[in-house]
Each structure stands twice: as C-alpha cells, then as structure tokens.
C-alpha cells in the first residue's frame, strides 16, 4: 500500500521549473529518502505534498485520498522547518504550546519526550539545549498525537557528528515502531544508512527511484572492487594477473585493489590464490556506495 502517491507534479516559479513531472509512490512502513543537491526541488516537493505550496500541475494522494484533509493531517507529523520554540520556556512548556496550536497531543508530552530521550531535561529552558537536543525536541513536536507518518526536511542539517548520529538512531527507532518516514536530504551517507527506499532528484527531475539496494545494484559501471593483500606481494600480483575477470590491478599501501567484472566472486579469487600457493591476509569486497551511484546518475558538477 502507498502512503503517499505523487503524480506528474510540476511547479514553475516564473521561468524556473522547480519540479518537472515528478511521479512516485511511498510504500507503507518504509523510510523513504528524497535525495538531491541543494536547490533540486526536494523542499518544494514536500511543501506541495503538505498542501503548503500549490503545484502548477499534477496531483498527490495520501492514503489513496487526494490532497490533505484535516483527518489526514492528524496522521502526519511534519517537520519542514524548525518550530519557533520560546528560548526561555522549558522543553515541556514549549510542547504544551505546540499541542494547543495543533489541537491534539496535550496528554502525549511525557511520552514523546521519553521517545526522543529528553524527559530528564523537560524542565530545562530551550535556550540551554544543544543543537541536537533542539532538533530532537522538534521531532518530539511532530510525534504529538501519535501520527502514523512522519515528514522531515533535512532533519540533520547543521548538526555535529554526535547530533547526526542521535537523529539517525531516532529515525530508525521510530520506523521500527511502525512509522512510515519520508525525509528529504542532500547528505548521501545519511540516506544510505537510514533509508530503505530512495528517490534521486536533480533540477526538479526525478532521476531514479527504488529500494536503496536496487538503486545501488543498477549501475552503468559493471564492475566490483576487491581489496586483497598477502605476505608475498610480488607473487600475489603475478597470481592475480592470471585470473580471468580482473580488469585492473591497483597498488595500495597494504596490497592491491582489484577492479573486476561484476560476475567475479570474492570466494573465486580466494580459491585461485590458494591453489597457486598464496594465502590471503585480506579479502574485502567493497560495496558500491550511494555516493558513487549518485554521481553516476547526476554527474559530478554541482547544481549550485
């Protein structure tokens, strides 16, 4: 079942086409990443989906229903920009104000503070929070009323590594609790570590969509990279040179990086070396990263 379906969404700002005929479905229970460089149309897409921005053409459906009715909004927690929390009020009091504005979640504050690991700081002033804590409080505000769907725009933007790790862990935990999460990001590593599905957008155009595994597996580059090392480096290189399927051998500080046809198995390389008297000390099949795949799809030049 699709939680969100966008169909041929297009948005023009004068001569600028922010979105160009974008269509995709978000599966229920997924962590769906909308990935693209800054200025690619991610925020516009989320704004349209939340009925904040009107599309030039196209339509969208939440849970099979067009638009966003009041009933649908109650099932969606949204963080498109950091809420305007009051610096000298406590985290708890700030959430009371958010709950009053939303008209729901007044009895939910202790629960959501526990989820984001801020309950012990509930009486502390917002101004005393770290950036990571402030972002976790913002996420807590989206959880008021216990929505089934969460929509985040750049949830780790501006955070230090510790804060990024906290938000990643929180997103995974929320998904494990049954939430469908839609998040826009320009951070490749974030999407690869957290998301189950990804849509890559560049200059308003949908370049590819699928599970993260499928996007990584579908490549114009039909090679795999394997790292190997052994005690006798010279003999190792000679033995590797006779193995069919290795296209290139590159010397590294500890051994070699092999560029192989994608049909080559690491176990076959290991067996070939062993049969020729070489015991490998290292054998590591390097997984293609989302960064590599992203650059294949979008090119290496920035959109900015």
């Amino acid at each position: 079942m699709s939680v969100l379906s966008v169909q041929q969404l297009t948005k023009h700002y004068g001569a600028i086409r922010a979105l160009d005929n974008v269509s995709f479905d978000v599966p229920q229970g997924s962590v769906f990443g909308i990935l693209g460089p800054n200025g690619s149309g991610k925020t516009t897409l989320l704004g349209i989906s939340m009925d904040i921005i009107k599309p030039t053409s196209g339509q969208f459906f939440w849970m099979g229903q067009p638009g966003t009715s009041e009933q649908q909004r109650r099932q969606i927690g949204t963080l498109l920009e950091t809420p305007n929390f009051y610096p000298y009020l406590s985290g708890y009091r700030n959430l009371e104000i958010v709950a009053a504005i939303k008209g729901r979640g007044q009895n939910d504050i202790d629960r959501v503070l526990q989820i984001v690991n801020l309950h012990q700081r509930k009486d502390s002033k917002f101004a005393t929070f770290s950036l990571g804590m402030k972002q976790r409080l913002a996420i807590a505000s989206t959880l008021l009323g216990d929505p089934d769907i969460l929509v985040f725009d750049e949830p780790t933007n501006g955070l230090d590594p510790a804060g990024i790790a906290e938000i990643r862990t929180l997103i995974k935990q929320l998904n494990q609790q049954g939430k469908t999460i839609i998040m826009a990001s320009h951070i490749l590593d974030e999407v690869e570590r957290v998301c189950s599905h990804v849509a890559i957008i560049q200059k308003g155009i949908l370049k590819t969509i699928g599970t993260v595994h499928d996007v990584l597996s579908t490549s114009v580059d039909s090679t795999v990279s394997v790292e190997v090392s052994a005690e006798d480096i010279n003999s190792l290189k000679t033995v590797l040179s006779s193995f069919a399927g290795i296209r290139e051998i590159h010397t590294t500080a500890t051994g070699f990086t092999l560029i192989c046809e994608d049909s080559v198995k690491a176990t076959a390389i290991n067996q070939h070396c062993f049969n020729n008297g070489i015991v490998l000390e290292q054998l590591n099949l390097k997984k293609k990263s989302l960064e590599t795949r992203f650059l294949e799809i979008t090119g290496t030049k920035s959109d900015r």
Side-chain angles (χ1 to χ4, degrees):
M1 173 183 174
S2 295
V3 165
L4 170 65
S5 178
V6 300
Q7 300 180 5
Q8 299 177 316
L9 282 184
T10 297
K11 177 62 178 177
H12 296 166
Y13 293 102
I16 298 173
R17 182 167 291 198
L19 289 177
D20 189 358
N21 202 36
V22 172
S23 300
F24 60 76
D25 295 325
V26 176
Q28 185 175 19
S30 64
V31 182
F32 191 97
I34 302 172
L35 177 63
N38 290 328
S40 60
K42 306 184 300 297
T43 298
T44 297
L45 176 58
L46 292 184
I48 291 173
S49 299
M50 294 311 303
D51 222 4
I52 297 170
I53 301 171
K54 296 300 180 184
T56 303
S57 61
Q59 55 188 339
F60 63 94
F61 299 83
W62 286 103
M63 289 77 73
Q65 301 298 316
T68 51
S69 65
E70 181 58 32
Q71 182 178 359
Q72 289 168 328
R73 287 181 183 275
R74 289 180 176 272
Q75 298 181 59
I76 306 169
T78 307
L79 183 59
L80 298 189
E81 57 183 24
T82 302
N84 292 318
F85 291 126
Y86 293 95
Y88 296 104
L89 294 180
S90 68
Y92 193 97
R93 180 61 183 137
N94 270 295
L95 290 187
E96 283 185 321
I97 293 170
V98 173
I101 293 171
K102 288 185 174 184
R104 64 181 187 274
Q106 288 88 347
N107 299 320
D108 214 12
I109 296 173
D110 282 306
R111 182 186 70 86
V112 301
L113 285 170
Q114 291 280 8
I115 290 173
V116 302
N117 196 29
L118 283 176
H119 196 267
Q120 72 280 12
R121 293 290 303 273
K122 68 176 185 176
D123 295 322
S124 299
K125 293 179 180 179
F126 180 74
T128 68
F129 285 6
S130 68
L131 286 176
M133 292 168 65
K134 289 177 179 178
Q135 191 68 345
R136 280 187 280 140
L137 188 69
I139 291 175
S141 73
T142 72
L143 300 176
L144 293 169
D146 198 21
D148 298 320
I149 305 158
L150 301 172
V151 180
F152 300 145
D153 187 13
E154 303 280 2
T156 63
N157 199 27
L159 300 183
D160 61 18
I164 291 172
E166 288 176 350
I167 300 302
R168 279 178 180 159
T169 299
L170 178 57
I171 288 173
K172 290 178 181 178
Q173 290 172 345
L174 291 169
N175 181 242
Q176 289 166 1
Q177 294 166 13
K179 309 292 186 188
T180 300
I181 299 171
I182 303 168
M183 54 178 278
S185 180
H186 68 279
I187 304 174
L188 296 147
D189 186 55
E190 177 178 274
V191 171
E192 187 169 8
R193 291 193 186 195
V194 173
C195 296
S196 59
H197 296 68
V198 63
I200 295 178
I201 296 179
Q202 183 184 34
K203 295 181 179 177
I205 298 172
L206 181 65
K207 293 290 188 174
T208 191
I209 184 172
T211 66
V212 171
H213 177 270
D214 287 345
V215 169
L216 290 173
S217 300
T218 306
S219 176
V220 295
D221 179 10
S222 59
T223 62
V224 294
S225 179
V226 182
E227 295 176 338
V228 295
S229 65
E231 184 176 352
D232 188 342
I233 292 295
N234 293 329
S235 297
L236 174 59
K237 186 171 185 179
T238 300
V239 168
L240 291 172
S241 299
S242 64
F243 184 84
I246 296 178
R247 295 185 182 180
E248 301 173 22
I249 301 176
H250 300 286
T251 302
T252 67
T254 58
F256 302 104
T257 296
L258 313 177
I259 307 301
C260 308
E261 296 172 4
D262 58 8
S263 59
V264 170
K265 304 297 183 184
T267 52
I269 295 174
N270 187 44
Q271 188 65 53
H272 175 76
C273 291
F274 184 79
N275 291 344
N276 286 274
I278 299 292
V279 177
L280 294 177
E281 296 177 344
Q282 178 190 20
L283 177 62
N284 179 32
L285 178 64
K286 294 179 66 177
K287 175 186 172 184
K288 177 169 286 190
S289 70
L290 188 58
E291 179 178 7
T292 302
R293 186 69 184 111
F294 180 84
L295 293 176
E296 288 179 353
I297 293 168
T298 64
T300 57
K301 293 183 179 180
S302 171
D303 289 344
R304 299 179 72 184

